[in-house]
Amino acid sequence: MSPEKNLLRLVDVCPDLVGEIVALLRDSHPGDPISDSISSLPVHGICRNYVLTAPDGTPSPWVIALEREAETVFLLGVDPSQSVVTWVDVLDGRDPPAALLRQS
């Protein structure tokens, strides 16, 4: 069995956050397949207040900034293939690390 099968999914821990990210991605990047993969992202932990959705150290040369009312509210790290979100940084004051700790 894959180790990722045992990991919590971001949508299970922070469903409202995932819903907002998907909606903002679809608005700002129509047709981008990344928006379809957000709900299935595994949670690999927290590193420097980022929610890791890939193992720590996974290359993330691309960053997608998502805005609400001209304010950046999320940053998404994207792998070199530009198809996998590797981390999520929440800039709107929510505390996803606290939600993850409650799930542990």
Side-chain angles (χ1 to χ4, degrees):
M1 185 190 290
S2 164
E4 286 200 10
K5 297 282 185 196
N6 298 327
L7 296 172
L8 292 171
R9 292 180 313 145
L10 188 58
V11 72
D12 296 331
V13 178
C14 304
D16 294 339
L17 178 100
V18 169
E20 284 186 60
I21 290 172
V22 169
L24 291 171
L25 265 171
R26 286 186 175 149
D27 285 347
S28 64
H29 297 81
D32 190 328
I34 287 179
S35 62
D36 295 329
S37 68
I38 297 296
S39 64
S40 63
L41 290 174
V43 176
H44 285 266
I46 304 294
C47 181
R48 296 180 292 278
N49 278 340
Y50 289 43
V51 177
L52 297 175
T53 56
D56 190 16
T58 300
S60 304
W62 306 102
V63 175
I64 297 173
L66 299 177
E67 296 182 347
R68 183 185 324 114
E69 298 173 8
E71 180 181 341
T72 301
V73 290
F74 303 108
L75 295 174
L76 308 177
V78 182
D79 79 339
S81 72
Q82 297 184 16
S83 63
V84 177
V85 174
T86 59
W87 52 262
V88 177
D89 189 7
V90 181
L91 305 173
D92 69 356
R94 271 184 270 202
D95 192 6
L100 289 171
L101 292 172
R102 286 192 300 272
Q103 296 291 320
S104 299

